[in-house]
Amino acid sequence: DTGVSQNPRHKITKRGQNVTFRCDPISEHNRLYWYRQTLGQGPEFLTYFQNEAQLEKSRLLSDRFSAERPKGSFSTLEIQRTEQGDSAMYLCASSWTVDLFFGEGSRLTVL
Amino acid sequence: RKEVEQDPGPFNVPEGATVAFNCTYSNSASQSFFWYRQDCRKEPKLLMSVYSSGNEDGRFTAQLNRASQYISLLIRDSKLSDSATYLCVVKGYGGSQGNLIFGKGTKLSVKP
């Protein structure tokens, strides 16, 4: 399967714990995006990389959130000191032009 | 005003019906427009881009009205398999060149 891969698919954690999600994009895609989606809402933009450079960050991305793409390939999204409001599906997408190809997402539940 | 607004529906239609979804966007400088489809508990997938002149892909027709900042999607002869949420998407503008902004989506349910 050469699509966008995300791990873990599901994560249940207690409030205050740190969590990290990983995204492996389609190999030839230079752009990588993180979105967050809650029930009944469309995906909300979090951040965007072109190669290893993080070019945009949403104001939604508090200082508890950090994303990296160290070698311009895979990316990680870390959430520190999780809160119940962080419970959501975290979607990664990659692209070469404008069309986004999404992974299946990582569902986070904060108890 | 939200950046991208859609009627959330749900739209419940019988098989074979024609259904139209509308979407408005707030910034006139937006350059690129898309419709994505999202099945229940699945990731969004690109359905079609929206071009200024309007474009058609089989039973699907997308149109853009820049003056009114309005995008539409028309589905003709709807099938059971068209049941999904349809997301209107606008490419960022100004400093937001990279990101795509999604509407909340319009839910379509096609019944036999």
Side-chain angles (χ1 to χ4, degrees):
Chain A
D1 186 353
T2 56
V4 178
S5 176
Q6 292 188 244
N7 288 288
R9 295 289 310 282
H10 303 276
K11 179 71 177 179
I12 300 173
T13 191
K14 292 183 180 179
R15 189 177 54 184
Q17 298 295 305
N18 299 343
V19 296
T20 298
F21 300 117
R22 175 177 170 128
C23 173
D24 288 272
I26 294 171
S27 58
E28 61 267 27
H29 287 180
N30 63 342
R31 298 178 186 177
L32 187 147
Y33 303 76
W34 285 98
Y35 282 82
R36 179 174 67 188
Q37 188 173 27
T38 53
L39 195 64
Q41 303 294 316
E44 293 177 296
F45 172 76
L46 294 178
T47 191
Y48 152 62
F49 291 85
Q50 183 155 315
N51 300 312
E52 66 275 12
Q54 187 173 20
L55 297 186
E56 288 185 53
K57 286 175 63 172
S58 167
R59 285 169 291 183
L60 292 174
L61 214 65
S62 76
D63 56 8
R64 296 185 299 106
F65 288 70
S66 61
E68 294 182 342
R69 193 182 183 197
K71 297 182 180 179
S73 56
F74 74 92
S75 175
T76 57
L77 176 69
E78 181 182 17
I79 309 173
Q80 296 182 323
R81 305 182 302 282
T82 53
E83 301 173 356
Q84 288 182 323
D86 297 332
S87 295
M89 177 72 83
Y90 290 84
L91 292 163
C92 176
S94 69
S95 74
W96 179 247
T97 55
V98 183
D99 303 348
L100 296 186
F101 292 82
F102 282 88
E104 293 182 304
S106 293
R107 182 171 295 283
L108 174 64
T109 301
V110 182
L111 302 176
Chain B
R1 182 182 175 187
K2 294 195 174 182
E3 292 184 270
V4 180
E5 292 202 69
Q6 296 182 248
D7 181 343
F11 283 57
N12 297 309
V13 303
E15 269 187 292
T18 296
V19 60
F21 305 137
N22 303 320
C23 169
T24 57
Y25 58 97
S26 61
N27 192 288
S28 59
S30 301
Q31 295 297 314
S32 304
F33 310 91
F34 310 88
W35 285 99
Y36 276 70
R37 170 190 169 133
Q38 187 170 25
D39 292 300
C40 188
R41 299 186 180 278
K42 297 286 190 180
E43 72 276 20
K45 292 185 178 178
L46 178 67
L47 177 66
M48 60 196 303
S49 301
V50 186
Y51 302 122
S52 296
S53 55
N55 49 299
E56 189 173 307
D57 182 2
R59 297 180 295 108
F60 298 84
T61 301
Q63 291 195 314
L64 167 66
N65 183 323
R66 286 190 183 273
S68 302
Q69 295 176 209
Y70 170 96
I71 306 158
S72 65
L73 177 68
L74 183 77
I75 306 176
R76 290 182 299 278
D77 187 24
S78 50
K79 311 291 185 190
L80 296 176
S81 57
D82 294 334
S83 296
T85 296
Y86 291 84
L87 298 159
C88 176
V89 185
V90 176
K91 188 173 186 292
Y93 46 83
S96 301
Q97 290 297 315
N99 80 74
L100 274 69
I101 303 164
F102 286 73
K104 288 187 176 183
T106 299
K107 187 172 182 179
L108 172 65
S109 181
V110 181
K111 306 291 187 184

